[in-house]
Amino acid sequence: MANKKQKKQKSSDYTAGQIQVLKGLEAVRKRPGMYIGSTSARGLHHLVYEVVDNSIDEAMAGHCSQVTVAVHDDNSVTVADDGRGIPVDIHPTEKVPGVELAMTTLHAGGKFDKSTYKVSGGLHGVGVSVVNALSEYLEVEIRRGGSEYRQRYERGIKATELETVGKAKGSGTSVTFKPDHEIFDELEYSFEVLSDRLRELAFLNKGLLITLEDERNGKLKEEYRYEGGIAEYVEFLRRGRTALHDKICYFDTSKPEAEIELALQYDQGFSEHTHTFVNNINTHEGGMHLTGFKAAMTRTINDYARRNKIFKKDESLSGEDVREGLTCILSVRVMEPQFEGQTKTKLGNSEVRGAVEAAVNEHLSIFLDENPKAAKVIIEKSLSASRAREAARKARDLARKKSALEGGVLPGKLADCSISDPSMCELYLVEGDSAGGSAKQGRDRGYQAILPLRGKILNVQRARIDRTLSNEEIRAMITAIGTGIRDEFDIEKARYHKILVMTDADVDGAHIRTLLLTFFFKEMRELIEAGYVYIAQPPLYRVHKGKQDFYAYSERERVEYVKRLGGNGGDAKGVRIQRYKGLGEMNPDQLWKTTMDPETRTIHQVQVEHEIRADDLFEELMGEEVEPRRKFIEKNARYVKNLDV
């Protein structure tokens, strides 16, 4: 007994010997998520972006004209450029070659020296060294000063000395690495994911040639080069929507606070597609540059309309009005960007706001004066949006008045929970009254609220705000959630920190789920960004034999359970399989056990991996134009399995 007590005491002692010192890149391998976000597919692709960013920084500094990314058969990747090449001379204080320092030391890089890089994609200095640390191996080849150099690393540790391998023409750097299977959950790169980011970088850096090669099945190769830069990007994003004016408003100007580049065009749609970048980083949380842009847009268009006597009496346009149907790319380059926000993608430099506002005021005024026909259709569209907004005011006020946080009445069909702490509360959006009835009976009334939805809600991608707010089901959701929408959105007023979309496991259910996601993405995107929106996954099958019961969420699980119960392919004696087409087929206990019990349910958090791609996809699949949808179906029809018709 005494020995046990002594052992316990010794194990709980905290001594100096228990303090771990992580040298070199050990810290990165110990906590990779701190450096690349995750060890999932997202983190895997981030490795490529880190290496590519170094090449892009060379391009922004005017030293690089082409970048090549090649994915090899074994999912190793090579990133090559024709930049200056990483320095190979001996560092004056560290006494090792510059390339070795960059590959093995955090916070080591030329980006901290303003004379080397005026602007860069990142100022953390962790990029390529982190890639090295998380790779099974990394080989770097450098062409510089008429010679070619090579060095190899394994799991962040130097495997060979830097060696001269021969003479070379030109200059540049080639980095080949293979992600470490000990670190990453999966090693399969997605051609589409890489393509989206590299195409984006090519648009943002006009004239730069970026090539993506995939040596795996199919041997794909794509080249991206856009002499028109972000003006071509606007055209690319607007494809499928009819432009209101042919000429794109574009300008590129340099101010002491920032280099500012902007391109915009209006279309006949009702959605706004504004995307902002700082040093090639997508600032999807916005920031000071976006604030300055919005203020300038509203002021400039109002001033033009008043100056040209387009307005009647005291008419004026709001920010929402002037941005309806707008596709815009705003790219700024800042010497020392300060990021804030949940994902560090919100620009905090206050001086940039004034610079952007002044630049947009000046150049947009010139564009409107030089293109009066375009100015006229833009203002007419904005006035039409204003009238729609005014027509929707009553509906909006009604939704706001009914908000529980303002002491009003909640929707009658909402079965609310008894707990008042939003962080503990869940709201289930349920398809139909039948499933709603089972959910109300099966739920935990303490923290789970149920809102049944009748039929398919309005497709908000094709609707103006007045029509959106006239939809009864949408008003009920807005009232129940409590945050308001668009410019009035306030996440602090959210009545639930988990909003779960729970629909049938059939085609209709998938359609309703898509319509709801379209609504959240367009009108309450901040809920998604805060991690409040989830998809509840009901089972596809119930497999049972005697008193044994299993719920299968996929075909693979169904087969496994049938085998477990003593059969193969569904022919086992006594094994019964029930295919759930709808939630209403489950009794309350089954619904609780499979889809609502936190201990046993399967839920998927809705995340936006790539904001512009998501925006584009919603427009493609849910927008007015039919042709993009037809092309999408033709391209992806061969991947459909278990079609439910």
Side-chain angles (χ1 to χ4, degrees), residues 222-243:
E222 288 186 2
E223 291 186 346
Y224 314 108
R225 185 175 188 168
Y226 306 102
E227 296 297 341
I230 63 171
E232 284 192 61
Y233 202 1
V234 165
E235 285 185 333
F236 175 81
L237 294 174
R238 187 195 52 74
R239 69 194 188 282
R241 302 189 300 275
T242 306

Side-chain angles (χ1 to χ4, degrees), residues 45 72 123 177 193 199 203 219 248 307 327 332 335 397 407 424 477 493 585:
H45 290 81
H72 306 298
L123 292 171
F177 65 93
V193 170
R199 184 190 296 111
F203 277 125
K219 307 266 185 202
I248 292 174
R307 195 168 64 250
T327 299
V332 300
M335 189 175 291
D397 287 347
M424 303 287 289
M477 283 193 294
K493 293 183 177 180
E585 294 179 17

Side-chain angles (χ1 to χ4, degrees), residues 12 22 58 79 102 109 162 170 184 192-193 213 249 278 311 317 384 394 415 489 521 564-565 601 637:
S12 62
L22 301 178
E58 280 287 284
V79 179
L162 181 68
F184 293 94
E192 188 178 29
V193 170
E213 299 175 359
C249 173
V278 176
F311 284 160
L317 297 165
S384 177
K394 290 182 181 179
F489 183 90
F521 185 78
R564 191 181 298 183
L565 292 173
R601 71 188 179 188

Side-chain angles (χ1 to χ4, degrees), residues 41-50 52 69-72 75-79 177 187-202 210-216 222 224 610 613:
R42 191 170 189 174
L44 183 74
H45 290 81
H46 192 83
L47 295 184
V48 180
Y49 307 153
E50 286 285 2
V52 169
V69 178
V71 183
H72 306 298
N75 276 289
S76 62
V77 177
T78 297
V79 179
F177 65 93
L187 299 178
E188 189 75 21
Y189 278 104
S190 163
F191 184 87
E192 188 178 29
V193 170
L194 291 174
S195 167
D196 284 339
R197 176 57 179 159
L198 296 177
R199 184 190 296 111
E200 183 177 87
L201 286 168
I210 301 180
T211 305
L212 174 60
E213 299 175 359
D214 190 345
E215 297 173 2
R216 301 168 300 179
E222 288 186 2
Y224 314 108
H610 191 290
R613 176 60 184 144

Side-chain angles (χ1 to χ4, degrees), residues 85 93 141 156 407 415 451 454 474 536 627 632 644:
T93 57
E141 296 178 357
L451 181 63
R454 194 187 313 113
I474 288 176
E627 187 62 17
F632 180 89
D644 184 10

Side-chain angles (χ1 to χ4, degrees), residues 499-641:
I499 298 162
L500 300 105
V501 177
M502 188 165 72
T503 60
D504 293 345
D506 60 7
V507 170
D508 281 342
H511 190 196
I512 292 167
R513 184 164 64 244
T514 304
L515 288 167
L516 286 167
L517 290 177
T518 305
F519 166 73
F520 285 122
F521 185 78
K522 185 178 176 184
E523 305 293 356
M524 293 182 172
R525 194 175 303 183
E526 295 91 337
L527 280 181
I528 298 175
E529 290 169 351
Y532 287 7
V533 182
Y534 294 80
I535 303 293
Q537 185 178 334
L540 290 171
Y541 302 97
R542 178 189 175 211
V543 183
H544 57 111
K545 181 181 180 181
K547 293 183 179 180
Q548 290 182 288
D549 240 354
F550 297 102
Y551 295 95
Y553 293 83
S554 66
E555 287 293 327
R556 182 180 56 80
E557 284 188 358
R558 178 188 67 81
V559 172
E560 284 178 5
Y561 289 141
V562 170
K563 287 180 179 177
R564 191 181 298 183
L565 292 173
N568 194 3
D571 298 326
K573 189 177 178 181
V575 176
R576 297 179 64 189
I577 301 171
Q578 180 184 359
R579 168 70 161 96
Y580 290 121
K581 296 265 302 184
L583 297 168
E585 294 179 17
M586 294 186 211
N587 62 45
D589 288 342
Q590 289 174 332
L591 192 56
W592 164 256
K593 185 179 178 181
T594 62
T595 320
M596 299 183 75
D597 182 358
E599 296 295 322
T600 55
R601 71 188 179 188
T602 301
I603 60 174
H604 305 282
Q605 191 178 54
V606 178
Q607 295 177 320
V608 180
E609 293 284 338
H610 191 290
E611 188 198 24
I612 294 180
R613 176 60 184 144
D615 198 27
D616 199 32
L617 197 61
F618 274 111
E619 187 61 43
E620 186 178 13
L621 300 181
M622 308 300 288
E624 291 281 359
E625 300 295 327
V626 176
E627 187 62 17
R629 262 191 308 282
R630 185 184 65 81
K631 288 180 178 176
F632 180 89
I633 293 168
E634 287 178 350
K635 182 182 175 183
N636 295 281
R638 65 180 184 271
Y639 302 119
V640 174
K641 295 178 181 178

Side-chain angles (χ1 to χ4, degrees), residues 95-284:
K95 306 302 181 187
V96 297
V99 60
E100 189 174 322
L101 197 63
M103 291 293 170
T104 59
T105 310
L106 293 174
H107 306 292
K111 297 172 189 179
F112 299 102
D113 183 356
K114 292 175 186 175
S115 64
T116 307
Y117 292 100
K118 188 179 178 183
V119 294
S120 69
L123 292 171
H124 306 299
V126 299
V128 74
S129 60
V130 167
V131 177
N132 190 20
L134 301 178
S135 296
E136 186 179 317
Y137 69 85
L138 182 147
E139 291 182 351
V140 57
E141 296 178 357
I142 300 159
R143 289 174 290 117
R144 191 178 171 108
S147 298
E148 185 174 344
Y149 305 85
R150 185 182 297 155
Q151 193 171 27
R152 180 181 171 95
Y153 300 84
E154 293 174 1
R155 294 189 166 93
I157 299 168
K158 179 174 66 173
T160 66
E161 298 293 337
L162 181 68
E163 56 181 347
T164 306
V165 292
K167 294 183 178 180
K169 292 182 180 179
S171 62
T173 303
S174 174
V175 175
T176 300
F177 65 93
K178 186 177 183 184
D180 193 347
H181 61 89
E182 294 178 3
I183 300 289
F184 293 94
D185 305 330
E186 55 183 288
L187 299 178
E188 189 75 21
Y189 278 104
S190 163
F191 184 87
E192 188 178 29
V193 170
L194 291 174
S195 167
D196 284 339
R197 176 57 179 159
L198 296 177
R199 184 190 296 111
E200 183 177 87
L201 286 168
F203 277 125
L204 293 166
N205 297 272
K206 69 170 73 172
L208 176 65
L209 173 63
I210 301 180
T211 305
L212 174 60
E213 299 175 359
D214 190 345
E215 297 173 2
R216 301 168 300 179
N217 298 334
K219 307 266 185 202
L220 298 170
K221 182 178 179 179
E222 288 186 2
E223 291 186 346
Y224 314 108
R225 185 175 188 168
Y226 306 102
E227 296 297 341
I230 63 171
E232 284 192 61
Y233 202 1
V234 165
E235 285 185 333
F236 175 81
L237 294 174
R238 187 195 52 74
R239 69 194 188 282
R241 302 189 300 275
T242 306
L244 282 182
H245 50 98
D246 294 331
K247 190 174 180 181
I248 292 174
C249 173
Y250 171 83
F251 72 83
D252 186 359
T253 186
S254 185
K255 293 187 175 292
E257 300 86 356
E259 294 174 11
I260 302 161
E261 191 177 9
L262 179 127
L264 63 85
Q265 190 177 31
Y266 283 83
D267 59 66
Q268 292 180 351
F270 306 127
S271 300
E272 178 196 352
H273 307 270
T274 298
H275 306 288
T276 61
F277 297 85
V278 176
N279 300 359
N280 294 321
I281 299 165
N282 187 342
T283 46
H284 60 83

